[in-house]
Amino acid sequence: MHSWTDTLRFAFQPVVNLTTGGVAGLEILARPETGDILAEARRDPELDGRLAVLAVRTAIRRESLLPLHVNVFAGTLADLGGLSPLHDAVRQAGRLPWEVTVDINPPYTHVPQQALLETVGGLREQGFRISADGVGDGDVPLRLLLDIAPDLVKLDASLPERPAAVRAMRALCDESGALLCVEGVETERQCAAALSAGAQLAQGELFAPPSRLPVADVYVPPRSPGLVQTPRSGPTVREFVRPAALLPATASASQVRALLTGSPEVSGVLLVDRDGAPVRSVHRSRFLLSMSGRYGHALYADRPAAKLGDPPRTVGVDATAWEVLDVVAVGDRDRTSDDVAVVDRYGRCVGVVRLADLVRALAESRVEEAVGLNPLTRLPGSDAITGEVDRRIADGRTVALSWLDVDHFKRVNDGAGFAAGDELIRSVGRALQHTASDSTRVGHIGGDDFLVLAEPEGLEPLAASVLDVPWSAGGRPVTLSLATVVCPPGSVTDHREAAACLAPLKQAAKSLDGASWVLGRAGLPGHEIRRGTGATTARAG
């Protein structure tokens, strides 16, 4: 008698890390030769659960060491109240639950949300990682997405064409500690759009099509200039995590040797306890050197591999790249090439980071930053400020954008000399930086023009720092003009509209005598004069 499993096959599609270019995991996709078993599974939670178990067993038979992504419908999780058979299958195969990500698939309509959340909580306690799949194209409510707090959010490929939506989702992911993945990427243009909008992971035919055999070699387009996006505090470890080669702490040296010789891309092995916490780190070169030495195999083959390991170097999953470098800098210099284990809040290993990846990314970010700096003030140019304006608008935050310049600056240069004018510009830039808070961005867009992005509550101290102090160049008194537009959520769509609102305010500020400050609000007529008197003809900058 034929079973439905006789016509069911599984395919593997890589999940690609866009930063490192490596494979972060394999999604297992059901491919029935006849019928529509997925439609049946959507209606039958028991069948859906069996599909998840079969997917894991198929991956194990293919001897894949990469982390796995297993698809389960949201309704299945709510109805079954857990996936005990999946947990048992993972353990029986010698894999660890935190090597498996459960991709929760829509539909969510009519799914009991409380039951779903309780099941997700149980899966997370067992060690499984959680992904919200089909976001953007599916029907997942935003509030439920926040309550699920997934480790990974997967977006439909159509969304990179709407970068504001992707940036908003990236901001949401950053707040909740999730990674952002774009699915269905088929062209290099889609890949570039996904990367520039903030995606960290991606899947699609461009990298590798679904295959019956797991693949680790994928095509990743070269990164275009200008796509390095680095937060102010530095890139986070999440962007560089690679799959870790894990073995139990009791593994023998022979087991480690077999893994390393059979997987040349593996740079080291982490030995973990039953809870998944790293206890020893085995470096590939040092281990194989010990094993290949005279009597090495006889001495070590049947002994615990931990004898040839070192204490692991670990960082939290929320650490920055700079914090990883601090960890690497401490201790034996011979271990600078060791992988650093990344652990979650329970101390369980979720992957490793390689020093080469971090150094490359930090160097790129510094080059990108240096290219955009004004040579006179060492402040970023307009692109950095306008990019941040767009991100805050997409995040639904109130944006306060200010423009500042020196009154009659040409006269200053003509009368006091360009050297005195340059020193004045540097002094104004230093004053702005000194007053700036962590959320303030100061840019020098050329000549005597500055752009400042600040929180509304920080505007008054900022204005006072440059308007309420005497300025001079070559002994000549100088005044400054400041114009600010406050853009509440929904009042503008991007930095271009904000700049258009700012332009008439700049003219209004220049029409006042003395140090001046004019403040307006996007979408509302008129403006408020905060500094300055009179209304004369507009002064030339």
Side-chain angles (χ1 to χ4, degrees):
M1 181 176 178
H2 290 289
S3 168
W4 56 268
T5 59
D6 294 336
T7 59
L8 180 65
R9 301 292 182 267
F10 289 94
F12 301 86
Q13 186 166 44
V15 179
V16 177
N17 186 317
L18 293 176
T19 300
T20 66
V23 177
L26 293 172
E27 182 175 359
I28 315 172
L29 305 166
R31 290 290 187 263
E33 294 180 358
T34 61
D36 190 353
I37 196 170
L38 293 180
E40 296 179 39
R42 189 182 296 117
R43 298 187 296 268
D44 185 348
E46 294 287 348
L47 174 59
D48 193 32
R50 292 200 295 274
L51 283 176
V53 171
L54 279 174
V56 169
R57 289 176 177 168
T58 300
I60 300 306
R61 287 198 299 272
R62 303 296 191 207
E63 297 182 350
S64 170
L65 295 175
L66 290 165
L68 306 175
H69 288 245
V70 179
N71 290 282
V72 180
F73 288 111
T76 296
L77 297 178
D79 289 345
L80 295 184
L83 291 174
S84 297
L86 178 63
H87 184 268
D88 295 340
V90 171
R91 285 293 190 181
Q92 290 167 7
R95 299 295 291 267
L96 301 171
W98 39 94
E99 297 179 81
V100 178
T101 298
V102 176
D103 284 5
I104 306 176
N105 284 258
Y108 290 83
T109 304
H110 307 308
V111 173
Q113 294 190 6
Q114 188 57 40
L116 174 61
L117 293 174
E118 290 175 359
T119 300
V120 168
L123 290 172
R124 189 169 273 125
E125 287 182 4
Q126 291 174 349
F128 290 104
R129 306 186 76 198
I130 304 298
S131 167
D133 205 345
V135 175
D137 191 44
D139 61 344
V140 54
L142 182 57
R143 181 173 179 177
L144 179 60
L145 181 64
L146 295 172
D147 289 340
I148 291 175
D151 301 285
L152 175 65
V153 172
K154 291 187 174 183
L155 295 180
D156 183 74
S158 62
L159 283 182
E161 305 298 331
R162 303 172 183 176
V166 181
R167 285 194 295 268
M169 184 55 67
R170 171 62 192 271
L172 183 66
C173 288
D174 287 345
E175 287 292 328
S176 62
L179 291 174
L180 182 62
C181 176
V182 172
E183 298 182 291
V185 176
E186 298 181 353
T187 66
E188 295 193 8
R189 179 178 177 181
Q190 286 179 322
C191 179
L195 186 59
S196 63
Q200 297 136 313
L201 304 171
Q203 292 177 260
E205 296 276 344
L206 175 66
F207 311 106
S211 168
R212 292 290 176 84
L213 294 176
V215 295
D217 294 328
V218 295
Y219 169 72
V220 181
R223 183 176 293 204
S224 301
L227 286 184
V228 177
Q229 294 184 339
T230 307
R232 189 169 182 168
S233 58
T236 64
V237 162
R238 292 176 182 275
E239 300 180 36
F240 304 93
V241 173
R242 292 177 177 265
L246 304 178
L247 284 177
T250 56
S252 68
S254 291
Q255 290 175 294
V256 172
R257 183 176 183 274
L259 191 158
L260 291 176
T261 55
S263 306
E265 74 282 358
V266 173
S267 55
V269 177
L270 288 173
L271 306 179
V272 297
D273 63 19
R274 287 184 58 84
D275 294 324
V279 294
R280 299 294 282 180
S281 174
V282 179
H283 184 268
R284 180 188 188 90
S285 298
R286 293 198 299 273
F287 174 84
L288 293 179
L289 185 63
S290 297
M291 290 290 289
S292 62
R294 191 177 185 183
Y295 309 122
H297 189 272
L299 285 172
Y300 300 116
D302 297 323
R303 299 185 67 185
K307 298 286 186 181
L308 295 174
D310 298 289
R313 290 173 165 174
T314 61
V315 294
V317 73
D318 295 318
T320 68
W322 296 109
E323 290 171 328
V324 177
L325 294 184
D326 289 340
V327 170
V328 173
V330 176
D332 192 344
R333 290 187 178 182
D334 293 338
R335 296 191 60 195
T336 53
S337 63
D338 287 18
D339 293 341
V340 177
V342 181
V343 297
D344 63 14
R345 58 179 176 172
Y346 302 106
R348 302 178 303 213
C349 180
V350 298
V352 295
V353 291
R354 296 179 180 174
L355 182 62
D357 289 338
L358 297 182
V359 171
R360 185 182 306 112
L362 291 172
E364 288 176 349
S365 69
R366 284 294 180 259
V367 169
E368 289 289 324
E369 181 181 341
V371 168
L373 296 182
N374 186 285
L376 180 61
T377 59
R378 309 305 295 167
L379 289 172
S382 60
D383 287 347
I385 305 301
T386 56
E388 181 63 19
V389 169
D390 285 341
R391 281 188 286 273
R392 296 190 187 187
I393 290 174
D395 295 346
R397 297 168 58 181
T398 296
V399 170
L401 183 63
S402 299
W403 165 90
L404 176 77
D405 85 338
V406 178
D407 296 327
H408 310 296
F409 186 63
K410 186 176 185 303
R411 297 183 196 173
V412 172
N413 273 343
D414 291 344
F418 70 87
D422 286 351
E423 182 54 37
L424 173 64
I425 295 302
R426 281 192 288 265
S427 298
V428 172
R430 286 193 294 267
L432 290 170
Q433 285 182 293
H434 181 74
T435 310
S437 65
D438 290 339
S439 60
T440 302
R441 301 291 183 268
V442 179
H444 181 194
I445 60 177
D448 61 323
D449 293 303
F450 293 87
L451 274 181
V452 184
L453 178 62
E455 300 293 341
E457 57 270 19
L459 289 173
E460 188 62 46
L462 184 74
S465 69
V466 290
L467 298 181
D468 296 349
V469 295
W471 294 99
S472 64
R476 299 165 179 264
V478 172
T479 59
L480 309 181
S481 293
L482 178 67
T484 300
V485 60
V486 177
C487 307
S491 60
V492 294
T493 60
D494 58 20
H495 71 273
R496 295 176 183 83
E497 290 189 8
C501 296
L502 187 58
L505 300 176
K506 169 184 175 180
Q507 295 301 319
K510 300 299 285 184
S511 70
L512 300 174
D513 291 327
S516 61
W517 179 23
V518 166
L519 185 145
R521 298 186 180 276
L524 297 178
H527 57 264
E528 177 185 354
I529 298 176
R530 294 285 189 93
R531 301 281 197 286
T533 59
T536 63
T537 57
R539 296 172 292 181

